[in-house]
Structure formats: C-alpha cells, structure tokens
Amino acid sequence: MTPQRVPLLAGLVVLLAAACTVTDHDGAAPTTAPAAGTTAAATTPAATTPAATPAVTTSAAPVEGAWRVTYGWDVPTAPARVTHQVRVPVTPAPGEPLPVLVEVRVGDHPAEGFSRITFAFLGPTPSYQVGYVPQVWTEGRGAPVDLPGTAYLSVRFDPAQAHDARGAGTAALPPARIGYPTLRGWAAAGDFEGHLSFGLGLRPPAGGTLPVRLGEATRPDGTHVVAVDVRRG
C-alpha cells in the first residue's frame, strides 16, 4: 500500500455560542460545509514519535446510553491503548479492507468542563492509542506537524484508513484551528499501511498537561465513534 494523504478543510472559522456549541447526541458539533471558494489543503503523511514508555491497555466501562468510557479522566503518563479485534478485510473486494474514517467533529461543553473531538468510522471500531508527546513529527521527512498550544496529544488508530481505493480522502473534516479554551487545534499526522494518526494541540492554563478521557459509541447510522475529551481548565 502506498502512502495516502488526508485532506484538511482550511479557511473556515468556527462560531461558538456564549454557553456551548450546538452538538449532536455524541457530544460533537456537526461538521460545517466549506464556504464558497474554500479549497482543501493536504498534509504530508506522518506519524508521531513513539513514547519511550510502554502503552497502557485499558478496558471499557459502560456509562449511560450507548456511550462507554474506555479511559477515565487521567493524565496518561504512558500512551493509553484500547484494543479491538478487527478481522481484515472487513468487507470483501471491491469494498475497503479496513475501517474507514468518514468524519471528524469537535464540540465544546463548558457546563461539563470539557471539549471533545470525535472520529467516526464506517466498519468496526479500530484499536486506538492516545498519549502525550513532546512533538508530533511527519513520517519520513521528520518535519514537525504544526499545532497550536504548548502540549500535544498523539491519537493513533489501527487498522484504519482515511482514503478510498482511488486515494481520495473519505472524511468530512472541521477546521484545523478549533480555538476552544484548552483544545486549540488538530492536524492529520499519517495515513499509511493501516495506521491512521492525528495530533491535538492543547493549551493548559498553567502549562504542563491536562486530564483526558476516551470513550466510544455507535451512532444511529451505524458508524462507530471514538471520542477524545480534554478538560477545559
């Protein structure tokens, strides 16, 4: 499989309500359609620098409704990994062999004290890993991924992809600059050989790191959603 690129929507400003953004049932705002004349920018396939400490495998605990928490509020000193068994190919040819990313959404929850980014997949839920890294780097060239803030989270999925058989991007995406109090932005960081990764840029109020929470759900349309929640302060 050859490296593929994940397109990003640029030049769009997210308008936030005074109290909270309008969100759907899984707590993230629907992706806004691009404005007239807006073009999509592409990023170089990338991967984050692996942490020196081993991954921490977590188990899921059920919560209300269809949601379940897979990593409770904590600061992951080692990457938190949630494992799902995915039999490949997930669909026979000419279908896509891996879970396919179809949407990224963001939502702010001031009353509940967190901001959220969700990743929705067509097909089974892939395994995923989330952890703090000093810097997110591109694959191969080793160039730093541009992210706002002072702390960075690596979010990685496997097996998963964000492109179709023609190499076109499959996901509806929000603007890269989020601008919530602590969750400031996100960026694609790699879509290569079944590994799909992203970087999140955070701005903790006093430096350092922030507690995060991970969760899963299945939407009424059958897509499987992974959420990353970040404390607002």
Side-chain angles (χ1 to χ4, degrees), residues 9-107:
L9 300 181
L12 212 61
V13 178
V14 177
L15 300 179
L16 301 179
C20 182
T21 56
V22 176
T23 59
D24 69 357
H25 81 284
D26 59 23
T31 302
T32 305
T38 300
T39 57
T43 59
T44 302
T48 54
T49 302
T53 52
V56 176
T57 301
T58 67
S59 60
V63 293
E64 60 178 320
W67 279 95
R68 60 176 186 165
V69 171
T70 56
Y71 181 82
W73 285 115
D74 203 354
V75 176
T77 55
R81 181 171 176 83
V82 179
T83 301
H84 291 282
Q85 298 299 322
V86 177
R87 182 174 297 179
V88 178
V90 298
T91 56
E96 300 300 339
L98 306 178
V100 176
L101 182 73
V102 293
E103 188 175 51
V104 178
R105 293 185 181 183
V106 295

Side-chain angles (χ1 to χ4, degrees), residues 40-191:
T43 59
T44 302
T48 54
T49 302
T53 52
V56 176
T57 301
T58 67
S59 60
V63 293
E64 60 178 320
W67 279 95
R68 60 176 186 165
V69 171
T70 56
Y71 181 82
W73 285 115
D74 203 354
V75 176
T77 55
R81 181 171 176 83
V82 179
T83 301
H84 291 282
Q85 298 299 322
V86 177
R87 182 174 297 179
V88 178
V90 298
T91 56
E96 300 300 339
L98 306 178
V100 176
L101 182 73
V102 293
E103 188 175 51
V104 178
R105 293 185 181 183
V106 295
D108 198 26
H109 300 261
E112 297 161 284
F114 69 89
S115 300
R116 170 173 289 177
I117 183 168
T118 63
F119 303 86
F121 291 89
L122 183 64
T125 306
S127 298
Y128 51 95
Q129 179 173 306
V130 178
Y132 280 100
V133 292
Q135 176 69 62
V136 180
W137 300 90
T138 60
E139 183 87 20
R141 291 189 302 120
V145 174
D146 182 26
L147 288 165
T150 57
Y152 310 104
L153 279 174
S154 165
V155 182
R156 309 184 75 181
F157 299 94
D158 65 275
Q161 65 187 60
H163 62 274
D164 60 21
R166 298 172 299 169
T170 55
L173 304 172
R177 299 283 170 161
I178 300 172
Y180 295 154
T182 56
L183 180 57
R184 306 298 295 175
W186 73 283
D191 180 9

